[in-house]
Amino acid sequence: MKIIAVGMNYATHNKEMHHPLHTTEPAIFMKADSVLKNGKPFFLPDFSSDIQYETEVVIRICRLGKSISERFAYRYYDEVTAGIDFTARDLQTRLRDSGLPWELSKAFDSSAAVGTFIPLAEAGRIGSLTFHLDINGQTVQQGRTADMIFTVDSIIARVSRYFTLRTGDLIFTGTPAGVGTVHVGDRLQGYLGDRMLLDFYVR
């Protein structure tokens, strides 16, 4: 299983991170075998003092595909959930400033939290989903897939030029504004619409 993620896919997040508001190509990166699921706790690693949440819509690939046309991309996913792309922000900043790759800050163990997948038919149209994250009962981040710079179908078309997509692969589609730091004891609950699909603690 591959975990493919898209960076800088919401203008509001780009603004808060001081990136260009819009980009001409999606920023694609990979996360290692780093899935956190089934409500297991997330343990803060010892190499960072600023682990931040980035709430995202996550799709699961349902069939084998390579060099997929954007107009046929919808055939390659049928389940969706809420997820969190954990980022060691202090480490990411140091690596970027040094001109080094920043996978260490994005692909560490348990950095890809995923909720319960539901059929897309239940969730709604992929281009009009709403999602949000609550921490300790307070909403801290919310977004709409309608605000994506690059649609899910265009992401699939782009990614499949370089990687063969296989059943079970996951794609994190980007985060809106509102990212922040997590702390020991926090309870994170991720929603698609009004449906809670992700629920775990930080330890």
Side-chain angles (χ1 to χ4, degrees):
M1 179 190 70
K2 295 188 293 297
I3 305 171
I4 299 166
V6 182
M8 299 184 288
N9 201 22
Y10 286 82
T12 54
H13 176 58
N14 294 347
K15 183 177 181 180
E16 73 176 347
M17 300 303 294
H18 308 292
H19 297 313
L21 296 186
H22 295 276
T23 58
T24 57
E25 293 187 5
I28 305 296
F29 61 95
M30 308 286 285
K31 294 176 80 73
D33 185 9
S34 52
V35 172
L36 178 72
K37 58 183 178 180
N38 300 326
K40 293 181 179 179
F42 173 77
F43 290 91
L44 290 175
D46 62 4
F47 51 76
S48 172
S49 59
D50 188 16
I51 298 293
Q52 296 193 1
Y53 59 82
E54 297 187 9
T55 314
E56 314 197 5
V57 170
V58 183
I59 64 166
R60 183 155 57 190
I61 298 300
C62 64
R63 60 189 295 187
L64 184 72
K66 172 70 175 174
S67 298
I68 301 164
S69 169
E70 183 174 343
R71 65 187 176 126
F72 296 127
Y74 71 93
R75 299 178 179 177
Y76 290 83
Y77 60 97
D78 59 7
E79 291 186 322
V80 65
T81 193
I84 296 176
D85 167 23
F86 281 114
T87 303
R89 192 71 69 195
D90 47 357
L91 177 57
Q92 184 186 46
T93 299
R94 291 199 302 271
L95 292 169
R96 279 180 166 166
D97 288 349
S98 299
L100 297 172
W102 36 271
E103 278 80 5
L104 289 178
S105 69
K106 283 281 194 179
F108 55 90
D109 288 349
S110 299
S111 63
V114 293
T116 302
F117 280 88
I118 60 172
L120 188 57
E122 293 182 16
R125 291 182 57 254
I126 193 66
S128 58
L129 300 180
T130 60
F131 59 100
H132 69 275
L133 175 69
D134 288 357
I135 297 183
N136 304 325
Q138 299 294 319
T139 299
V140 296
Q141 193 177 22
Q142 51 193 336
R144 306 182 308 158
T145 55
D147 295 330
M148 287 180 176
I149 298 171
F150 302 99
T151 66
V152 169
D153 290 354
S154 68
I155 291 166
I156 288 175
R158 174 72 173 176
V159 166
S160 67
R161 291 182 62 194
Y162 301 91
F163 308 107
T164 297
L165 296 179
R166 303 182 187 279
T167 301
D169 287 349
L170 305 180
I171 299 180
F172 281 65
T173 59
T175 195
V179 302
T181 304
V182 295
H183 305 91
V184 171
D186 284 346
R187 183 181 184 182
L188 279 61
Q189 296 172 300
Y191 293 78
L192 280 183
D194 295 327
R195 189 166 177 175
M196 185 177 68
L197 300 176
L198 183 66
D199 186 6
F200 65 97
Y201 285 88
V202 177
R203 299 300 189 200

